[in-house]
Amino acid sequence: MEAKLILYLASCLLFLLHPSMANAINYADALEKSILFFEGQRSGKLPSGQRMTWRDNSGLSDGSTDNVDLVGGYYDAGDNVKFGLPMAFTTTMLAWSVLEFGRLMRGELNNAKAAVRWGSDYLLKAATAAPNTLYVQVADPNQDHSCWERPEDMDTSRNVYKITSQNPGSDVAAETAAALAASSLVFKHSDPAYSSKLLHAAMRVFEFADRYRGSYSDSLSSVVCPFYCSYSGYHDELLWGASWLHRASNNVTYMSYIQSNGNLLGAGDDDYSFSWDDKRIGAKILLSKGFLKNKVQGLQLYKAHSDNYICSLVPGTNSFQAQYTPGGLFYKQSASNLQYVTATSFLLVTYAKYLRSTGATVSCGSSVVTSNSLISLAKKQVDYILGQNPSGVSYMVGYGSQYPLRVHHRGSSLPSVHTHPGHISCNDGFQYLHTNSPNPNLLVGAVLGGPDNKDSFSDNRDNYQQAEPATYINAPFVGALAFFAGKPTTG
Ligand SMILES: *[C@@H]1O[C@H](CO)[C@@H](O)[C@H](O)[C@H]1NC(C)=O
């Protein structure tokens, strides 16, 4: 332990003396890129200010099969499907990033808000197109995945899928409520009319989610599973949605709801992941703020739960149980592991912020963990992603001198419609998936699935588990990067 500490201090000293040798991370550059990535995922009619210029309009008649307007929104990852559950979670996390760290984003704040709005505009349409209905998906993923096509070319069916009172989906509906409520806070001052529209839609969708209970995996089965099956059920989203509605509206109805249903977020059932599927720890951290900053009675419980979660991540504490790779990366699973790393890093810096505001610490049995330790742990994860890892590779496309070149992403791997305007059909596209050549279009800012539990990564387009980006990998990273970009001296 002591030898390690000396080594650590020596490396800090080295960093101070020779910053260039330590290959200093440029968080502001990474922040800018992490937001730009969302422009590459846009569906619909692109605005004149579009900066990811190899993309063009796509999905312009989405919704028409049901006579509704579902144009816009985000493709989730490397394909051309609009999946409601991860899109809503992405929007919630982008909004949370802006709410906590928007002040540290400087010139990037407007770009970050535009990224939130691209999601919230779409979710607002999906939630208000028809009464007692929420549109939750455009395109059949089985058909979409049998082609390798640019979004601008796609000619597979754009079926729409919805949940209703007869075919409920409390998980996707409550996450949509969370996204709309969080977004309403982002626009509260800059666009009050839009903000109140979002809040009212959020309240209605939440009521719908709570009243007609069920999982969308049961209602829509083969078109949402196994892609974005709701494995964790819908109780986590109901509490998460209520927590966001409470924060956005200050309406006591939601606090009573949380207090009478909070047992569904019990301390014993943590599995220490936070993702598009499982919102439990996100809700607990969010509710802790109510206790730490505003001393809301009845929320002490969530501070205790959040502490347990933090202790599980910190090596050396009595309840430590997380897994790290030999190179120090938080490791959860082989497919798209970095989604857990970015989400965890966001929660660490956010909880550190809440703790700092009242000088609180984390209790792990008899030991005390400070907000600075949380920040150091998050910094290690962020730095790893940006290239301070055994391979020396940045897992953010376009950041640093070495990054993956064969990203599993249709639009990025096929020639741009601007250089190759002719239609490339479903099957003709596969030559671009299987070639060893680098992608012709740089999906700047995309954070990929990332390395395995031994820090190994294969830059191979077929390797979707490691080489595919996703909007929900980037969304919480935006907040974590803003935190470090705004605090360049944090060590
Ligand atoms: C609080 O929320 C409930 C449930 O959505 C609603 O019926 C009530 O009108 C709201 N109260 C205020 C003051 O907005």
Side-chain angles (χ1 to χ4, degrees), residues 262-286:
N263 59 323
L264 297 172
L265 285 176
D269 67 352
D270 290 320
D271 75 350
Y272 306 109
S273 66
F274 179 48
S275 70
W276 57 264
D277 182 29
D278 187 345
K279 319 298 154 52
R280 287 173 293 177
I281 187 59
K284 289 172 183 179
I285 298 238
L286 190 63

Side-chain angles (χ1 to χ4, degrees), residues 34-50:
S34 72
I35 299 167
L36 183 55
F37 158 75
F38 288 93
E39 294 194 7
Q41 299 302 113
R42 282 173 170 174
S43 182
K45 187 174 179 344
L46 303 184
S48 57
Q50 171 83 11

Side-chain angles (χ1 to χ4, degrees), residues 203 207 249 251-254:
M203 290 168 76
E207 198 186 313
S249 70
N251 182 324
V252 292
T253 307
Y254 300 109

Side-chain angles (χ1 to χ4, degrees), residues 127-335:
T128 56
N132 273 337
T133 300
L134 173 67
Y135 285 89
V136 298
Q137 190 164 312
V138 179
D140 176 341
N142 296 296
Q143 280 192 38
D144 182 276
H145 292 177
S146 67
C147 294
W148 194 261
E149 279 187 307
R150 301 177 290 200
E152 293 85 354
D153 273 344
M154 66 195 167
D155 44 12
T156 46
S157 91
R158 299 296 284 172
N159 287 344
V160 300
Y161 301 94
K162 59 192 170 193
I163 54 162
T164 60
S165 44
Q166 287 82 37
N167 286 295
S170 305
D171 27 36
V172 64
E175 180 63 65
T176 302
L180 293 168
S183 303
S184 81
L185 284 166
V186 168
F187 298 104
K188 191 171 181 164
H189 302 295
S190 55
D191 191 345
Y194 182 61
S195 170
S196 99
K197 218 188 238 181
L198 293 173
L199 182 58
H200 284 107
M203 290 168 76
R204 282 198 303 273
V205 184
F206 183 78
E207 198 186 313
F208 173 64
D210 188 42
R211 186 141 170 212
Y212 304 105
R213 289 193 177 197
S215 170
Y216 92 139
S217 301
D218 295 327
S219 299
L220 295 169
S221 58
S222 68
V223 296
V224 299
C225 295
F227 314 98
Y228 293 101
C229 212
S230 181
Y231 300 102
S232 73
Y234 56 80
H235 289 129
D236 55 323
E237 277 90 5
L238 285 175
L239 268 292
W240 169 245
S243 306
W244 274 109
L245 273 160
H246 179 255
R247 183 152 164 188
S249 70
N250 265 318
N251 182 324
V252 292
T253 307
Y254 300 109
M255 189 44 68
S256 318
Y257 184 93
I258 291 160
Q259 285 168 342
S260 50
N261 294 278
N263 59 323
L264 297 172
L265 285 176
D269 67 352
D270 290 320
D271 75 350
Y272 306 109
S273 66
F274 179 48
S275 70
W276 57 264
D277 182 29
D278 187 345
K279 319 298 154 52
R280 287 173 293 177
I281 187 59
K284 289 172 183 179
I285 298 238
L286 190 63
L287 292 170
S288 303
K289 185 192 177 193
F291 171 68
L292 284 163
K293 290 194 85 166
N294 308 322
K295 300 283 169 249
V296 177
Q297 287 311 304
L299 296 183
Q300 297 92 320
L301 175 70
Y302 297 106
K303 160 75 167 62
H305 289 186
S306 300
D307 281 8
N308 289 346
Y309 164 74
I310 297 295
C311 301
S312 79
L313 298 174
V314 178
T317 69
N318 59 345
S319 46
F320 172 62
Q321 54 169 273
Q323 190 186 340
Y324 291 89
T325 66
L329 181 68
F330 177 66
Y331 186 81
K332 191 84 195 159
Q333 65 174 40
S334 56

Side-chain angles (χ1 to χ4, degrees), residues 79 150 192 288 405 409:
D79 60 11
R150 301 177 290 200
S288 303
L405 302 172
H409 187 275

